[in-house]
Amino acid sequence: MKARHEHADVLIRNIKTLYTNQQCPPLRGKTLGTLVSIDEAWIAVKDGKIMAFGNDDHVPYCDEQTIFFDAEQTIVTPGFIDSHTHLVHGGSREAEFEALVHGVPYLEILRQGGGIHQTVKDTRRASFDDLYIQAKTSLDVMLSYGVTTIEAKSGYGLDIENERKQLLVAEALNRDHPMTIVSTYMGAHAIPPEHQGNPEAYVKEIIKDLSVIKDEGLATSVDVFCEEGVFTLEQTERILKASSELGFMRRLHADEIKPLGGAGLGVRLGARSVDHLLAISDEDIKRLSESDTVANLLPGTAFYLGKTYARAREMIDAGVAVSVSGDYNPGSSPTENFQFIMQLAASKMRMTPEEIINAVTVNAAYHLGLSDSVGSIAIGKRADLVMLDVPNLSYVFYHYGINHVKHVMKDGIMVISNKNQRRSQHGT
Ligand code: NIG
Ligand code: FE
């Protein structure tokens, strides 16, 4: 039985303002734009979890074993969640950058055997250790920018041996690295070279491989790149229905380049998220607004590929539940700087600071199926916290391209402490 007055392991005090959300996800409309704020706050942590929080009017129970941590008037939010990444992959694709800059379309590079196909070659060639080291380096950077949970997709192996290799790397890193990683099987990312000209055979192979992934517990979700020249609506539906029967959550790369109707299909199949949506139709915005499927918007991809940004404002105003992710991958969003992604959401998609914080915390946790453990500052949830060295929340989005993180706490342990300049003296 627990003692009546448990002491905190750590008491974080002197927080300028704490921001979180206590509403039931998925958040949409006005609720998406609302945060709870507590000025002059403290957070008590016990066994890696949030034990209590409040403001200076109510002081928590501590004893001589409690470690006091001075937040130095930083602003504190829940750890950021990047709910769409292609973390584990071999090589890099800077060789394609020039073609992209000269206007060669992304799908044309893919059609010519580059793009995803190049990374498939590099990933198949890479050993487990090569992939582990490359992914770990990325995780370190992500964590330093305030990300404490990510989703990581396979999809550069495109055969069971190499897809497993990617997923096993993610599993090992989830164990070894402070970052929480949840995996998605994305065998349906492209048609591999050995099946070119016979996509049907590959669709059958993916459906067969789903049980291997399930039996080994290597992923909780399945994703399909539903796009012209990649997987059709009909193939996507078959793969996702088979996934559903095995108990996987479903998600789609939908309407990224051509408006095929992947978002509407995702709603019909009960997908947790439909991602990208640069080319979504008005009808599918309406369908999404009437569903609990989250529109996962990835502004880094529009930025890098030079495309028009997703119509976030229209979606939010129509009542669609929205999250925002980085899509970290070697071909369409090669960055681990998640604050830059959040800043693009503000400056290019016209989302408010409150909407973005909710999008990358509570809504992201919801569609990953992690609402019980992360996504808000709430009693019993993991003590995953970001301390931002900024005078106010707007400043995070205003002063772009740099890292505002002062400290990151993960599972109650301070894992990042940056020596950045105090900014509070420059404004209020
Ligand atoms: O989400 N669009 C498909 N998949 C990734 C890009 C993968 C790549 O180019 O390597 C994306 O943008
Ligand atoms: Fe992606």
Side-chain angles (χ1 to χ4, degrees):
M1 220 169 118
K2 285 188 175 168
R4 247 183 103 207
H5 286 296
E6 268 190 321
H7 71 269
D9 294 338
V10 182
L11 180 70
I12 305 168
R13 55 185 181 182
N14 195 20
I15 296 170
K16 182 171 185 181
T17 310
L18 170 162
Y19 289 99
T20 188
N21 201 295
Q22 290 164 348
Q23 308 278 343
C24 201
L27 307 187
R28 57 182 92 234
K30 285 210 162 40
T31 321
L32 181 67
T34 310
L35 286 169
V36 174
S37 66
I38 304 176
D39 292 334
E40 298 309 325
W42 53 263
I43 302 173
V45 174
K46 173 94 183 155
D47 297 333
K49 304 240 163 68
I50 294 164
M51 179 183 158
F53 59 97
N55 69 6
D56 283 349
D57 295 346
H58 304 89
V59 183
Y61 181 76
C62 298
D63 65 14
E64 60 284 351
Q65 290 166 53
T66 304
I67 296 166
F68 292 94
F69 186 88
D70 184 355
E72 293 177 86
Q73 287 290 296
T74 47
I75 280 180
V76 175
T77 70
F80 303 142
I81 301 173
D82 190 347
S83 58
H84 178 142
T85 83
H86 301 258
L87 172 77
V88 183
H89 59 262
S92 58
R93 304 225 297 271
E94 65 275 20
E96 280 166 21
F97 184 59
E98 207 178 319
L100 268 180
V101 169
H102 286 100
V104 183
Y106 176 80
L107 287 181
E108 180 56 26
I109 296 175
L110 181 67
R111 212 186 52 75
Q112 290 174 5
I116 296 174
H117 297 303
Q118 180 58 47
T119 304
V120 170
K121 278 187 210 137
D122 293 337
T123 304
R124 286 180 172 182
R125 217 178 280 138
S127 68
F128 179 96
D129 289 350
D130 296 338
L131 294 177
Y132 181 99
I133 291 164
Q134 186 165 338
K136 183 189 170 298
T137 308
S138 290
L139 285 179
D140 290 344
V141 181
M142 290 172 175
L143 193 69
S144 76
Y145 278 91
V147 177
T148 49
T149 297
I150 67 160
E151 181 256 19
K153 301 174 196 296
S154 66
Y156 292 117
L158 307 188
D159 59 34
I160 190 64
E161 180 195 339
N162 287 292
E163 289 288 308
R164 280 183 76 250
K165 181 171 70 180
Q166 279 189 276
L167 292 167
L168 287 166
V169 167
E171 185 184 79
L173 284 164
N174 183 45
R175 217 173 29 238
D176 303 347
H177 196 276
M179 187 77 75
T180 297
I181 304 171
V182 288
S183 287
T184 295
Y185 169 60
M186 200 177 179
H189 196 194
I191 309 291
E194 57 277 16
H195 287 297
Q196 283 299 332
N198 190 5
E200 202 40 46
Y202 186 52
V203 170
K204 289 207 176 91
E205 189 174 308
I206 292 169
I207 292 175
K208 184 164 63 64
D209 293 345
L210 286 173
S211 340
V212 179
I213 305 295
K214 186 70 193 178
D215 290 348
E216 295 188 27
L218 288 175
T220 49
S221 294
V222 171
D223 197 339
V224 178
F225 188 13
C226 180
E227 184 59 66
E228 193 177 281
V230 194
F231 291 89
T232 65
L233 282 170
E234 189 274 329
Q235 291 165 337
T236 304
E237 177 161 357
R238 262 190 294 146
I239 295 167
L240 292 182
K241 277 192 168 154
S243 311
S244 170
E245 278 162 23
L246 289 170
F248 286 107
M249 293 182 276
R250 282 85 60 208
R251 45 192 85 248
L252 288 80
H253 281 57
D255 305 316
E256 176 179 355
I257 295 158
K258 299 282 161 63
L260 288 196
L265 175 66
V267 169
R268 189 152 64 73
L269 298 178
R272 303 297 297 220
S273 72
V274 286
D275 301 40
H276 283 292
L277 311 180
L278 304 184
I280 190 175
S281 66
D282 292 346
E283 296 73 39
D284 278 355
I285 290 184
K286 180 147 193 315
R287 288 189 182 100
L288 270 176
S289 72
E290 292 161 354
S291 78
D292 282 348
T293 298
V294 175
N296 197 12
L297 308 182
L298 318 172
T301 312
F303 170 81
Y304 183 79
L305 296 181
K307 300 245 168 235
T308 307
Y309 288 82
R311 294 184 280 154
R313 262 297 27 106
E314 280 178 58
M315 291 187 220
I316 293 169
D317 296 344
V320 175
V322 164
S323 61
V324 170
S325 298
D327 194 22
Y328 168 61
N329 76 74
S332 70
S333 187
T335 183
E336 296 96 336
N337 181 344
F338 195 60
Q339 284 172 55
F340 181 57
I341 301 295
M342 292 163 62
Q343 287 150 358
L344 287 176
S347 64
K348 300 296 181 189
M349 300 202 302
R350 300 281 159 211
M351 290 175 69
T352 66
E354 291 81 2
E355 287 169 346
I356 297 165
I357 296 296
N358 281 327
V360 303
T361 56
V362 64
N363 271 8
Y366 167 79
H367 76 75
L368 293 181
L370 299 175
S371 292
D372 287 347
S373 58
V374 292
S376 63
I377 297 172
I379 293 170
K381 286 200 183 182
R382 287 172 180 252
D384 292 0
L385 304 166
V386 185
M387 300 182 197
L388 298 157
D389 187 13
V390 289
N392 52 59
L393 197 59
S394 300
Y395 198 96
V396 175
F397 303 90
Y398 152 75
H399 193 158
Y400 76 92
I402 62 153
N403 190 358
H404 293 293
V405 160
K406 180 81 177 173
H407 302 284
V408 177
M409 175 177 267
K410 177 69 184 129
D411 292 314
I413 295 168
M414 221 52 86
V415 286
I416 298 286
S417 285
N418 289 328
K419 285 197 188 57
N420 38 9
Q421 292 272 312
R422 294 291 304 156
R423 296 187 203 292
S424 25
Q425 54 210 355
H426 303 306
T428 50

